[in-house]
Amino acid sequence: MILVTGGAGFIGSNFVLDWLAQSDEPVINLDALTYAGNLANLASLQGNSRHVFVHGDIGDRTLVDQLLRTHQPRAIVHFAAESHVDRSIHGPGAFMKTNVEGTFNLLEAARAYWGTLQGEAKANFRFHHVSTDEVYGSLKPTDPPFAETNPYEPNSPYSASKAASDHLVRAWHHTYGLPVVTTNCSNNYGPYHFPEKLIPLMIVNALAGKPLPVYGDGQQIRDWLYVKDHCSGIRAVLASGRLGETYNIGGWNEMANIDIVKTVCALLDELRPDPAGPYARLITYVTDRPGHDRRYAIDARKIERELGWRPAETFATGIRKTVQWYLDNAEWVAQVQSGAYKEWVAANYQAR
Ligand code: NAD
Ligand code: DAU
């Protein structure tokens, strides 16, 4: 049994679905179902007794203690977080609450539970912290990609909150001996990605004939990884990563935002042509994100060298699957765009 936090979100739900497809080991899934959590992502698990969903907050110590005591998981895989940089600029408080205080609470509950374990159960327990490449800050065009040894230089409230949580995880290992591993991954894309983030936003806006808002000059660079490859990287580190170590996970795929948007448009032109003309006609340059990091890139040689992990998808194969998934799942798209989503779009884009 493993305990997953944030397993109704984008990456967490992909992780839970892949885990249960590949292993007999049950999952308890603790998720607060914020705007980003969506049980529809897990609809295919209905009636599956190996998936136990618990609606609750990682900051609720009584609940987390009770879950650990009752289910005795051999590992915690911690995805739960506020994850959107733009939202962290509009309202950083929730990021401090969940990403910093929530992780602290989870670490304390894990430490107390781990202290009750004996022998092999104690030695084999893992706390796997899922983090981001954004903690390393921003690269210049000629800088080498982020290695695990890079200093932390977070620039947004989101990345600062994730950096703080990484430091807590490190300290709980160093001081208390809690058996932790941390992964720092680049930008994911794929099924169940909430359309506040670049790729799904461009797909759903294009299909609705709405503007495709590109921040600043569109030349910011990100490394993009298909979400299922992130999940396989986490499984590899959880199984065989060295205790107290951090592992960077990336797709060896640096691309400028404008090229991402043009690729999405070209795929839609092919798969769902618009009689009104090429989708790229909708590209609209808008005011930049404050403090916008210029470039991220990941050196993923450590996880390859130590654990033999490499991404299975190229960007060409992954983005085609992703666009096709959004075309095939119009109902999911319509459901996530109802309600509070509209308020967010108005708050972030109206005055740009
Ligand atoms: P997401 O926003 O799609 O999902 C977050 C999930 O956490 C949601 O289901 C939400 O309901 C849940 N959650 C939020 N606050 C909670 C709380 N207090 N208690 C319990 N559950 C809570 O995020 P994501 O994109 O799937 O990211 C998951 C993790 O991976 C995050 O830790 C993020 O920092 C990290 N990460 C994301 C990316 C990316 O490209 N999306 C890349 C690297 C790392
Ligand atoms: O690098 C990993 C990180 O990737 C994760 O830790 C975060 O949780 C995840 O949200 C993501 O952060 P980004 O800020 O890179 O992702 P986002 O999709 O919001 O933006 C990608 C790039 O596209 C970024 O340079 C900003 C730009 N952008 C984004 C949006 C939403 C636009 O140009 N227009 C937009 O409307």
Side-chain angles (χ1 to χ4, degrees):
M1 169 80 83
I2 62 167
L3 170 64
V4 168
T5 71
F10 163 48
I11 306 173
S13 63
N14 276 285
F15 180 83
V16 169
L17 292 170
D18 286 3
W19 182 274
L20 291 170
Q22 294 180 23
S23 136
D24 287 336
E25 189 172 13
V27 173
I28 327 159
N29 184 350
L30 172 62
D31 195 296
L33 296 179
T34 68
Y35 79 93
N38 186 356
L39 285 177
N41 301 3
L42 304 163
S44 63
L45 297 178
Q46 240 170 27
N48 186 333
S49 59
R50 291 184 297 129
H51 178 240
V52 179
F53 183 79
V54 179
H55 183 192
D57 198 306
I58 56 166
D60 181 344
R61 179 67 193 270
T62 311
L63 173 65
V64 176
D65 281 345
Q66 179 238 315
L67 288 176
L68 293 173
R69 220 178 18 248
T70 311
H71 298 281
Q72 301 273 310
R74 68 161 177 98
I76 297 173
V77 187
H78 177 33
F79 293 93
E82 290 293 335
S83 70
H84 190 30
V85 174
D86 292 323
R87 285 190 193 250
S88 82
I89 295 166
H90 285 255
F95 289 71
M96 304 307 134
K97 190 103 201 121
T98 286
N99 302 2
V100 185
E101 287 177 40
T103 301
F104 162 69
N105 190 62
L106 206 59
L107 282 166
E108 278 295 81
R111 180 164 78 91
Y113 164 66
W114 177 66
T116 68
L117 300 177
Q118 307 282 334
E120 266 193 24
K122 185 163 194 171
N124 293 338
F125 181 75
R126 293 289 179 273
F127 184 102
H128 185 133
H129 179 55
V130 178
S131 193
T132 170
D133 60 356
E134 299 203 10
V135 297
Y136 298 120
S138 186
L139 293 168
K140 299 205 166 49
T142 54
D143 284 343
F146 299 130
E148 289 80 359
T149 47
N150 274 47
Y152 272 35
E153 292 176 349
N155 290 321
S156 72
Y158 163 69
S159 54
S161 70
K162 290 297 290 187
S165 67
D166 292 11
H167 290 325
L168 294 177
V169 171
R170 175 189 159 86
W172 261 240
H173 173 69
H174 192 81
T175 301
Y176 303 115
L178 189 70
V180 308
V181 283
T182 295
T183 44
N184 293 87
C185 188
S186 58
N187 285 60
N188 286 214
Y189 66 97
Y192 304 115
H193 204 181
F194 192 74
E196 64 184 357
K197 309 280 169 69
L198 180 71
I199 288 180
L201 181 83
M202 296 299 147
I203 299 172
V204 305
N205 276 17
L207 290 173
K210 291 183 180 162
L212 307 180
V214 173
Y215 296 165
D217 63 2
Q219 293 301 329
Q220 302 82 7
I221 290 172
R222 299 287 182 268
D223 172 70
W224 293 92
L225 180 71
Y226 190 61
V227 63
K228 305 244 171 231
D229 280 328
H230 185 189
C231 295
S232 73
I234 292 171
R235 290 197 302 275
V237 171
L238 180 63
S240 317
R242 286 185 291 131
L243 289 187
E245 291 288 318
T246 67
Y247 292 86
N248 284 353
I249 305 182
W252 298 107
N253 178 66
E254 283 183 59
M255 280 178 76
N257 291 340
I258 188 65
D259 296 327
I260 294 284
V261 176
K262 286 181 178 165
T263 305
V264 167
C265 289
L267 273 168
L268 285 171
D269 287 338
E270 178 195 329
L271 298 169
R272 180 72 57 86
D274 183 349
Y279 288 99
R281 75 185 191 284
L282 299 169
I283 293 174
T284 310
Y285 289 91
V286 300
T287 309
D288 209 351
R289 173 187 278 175
H292 200 170
D293 284 337
R294 198 68 184 163
R295 174 177 166 236
Y296 305 144
I298 281 273
D299 177 343
R301 280 178 299 178
K302 179 176 173 183
I303 186 172
E304 179 168 5
R305 191 174 59 243
E306 291 191 14
L307 307 176
W309 177 90
R310 268 194 77 86
E313 301 287 346
T314 62
F315 188 69
T317 59
I319 192 67
R320 181 173 285 275
K321 282 185 189 177
T322 303
V323 170
Q324 190 62 58
W325 187 89
Y326 280 84
L327 291 174
D328 294 343
N329 288 275
E331 214 173 292
W332 183 91
V333 172
Q335 185 236 331
V336 298
Q337 287 184 289
S338 62
Y341 179 74
K342 290 197 181 70
E343 286 155 37
W344 165 250
V345 170
N348 194 43
Y349 295 99
Q350 225 155 48
R352 269 202 141 94

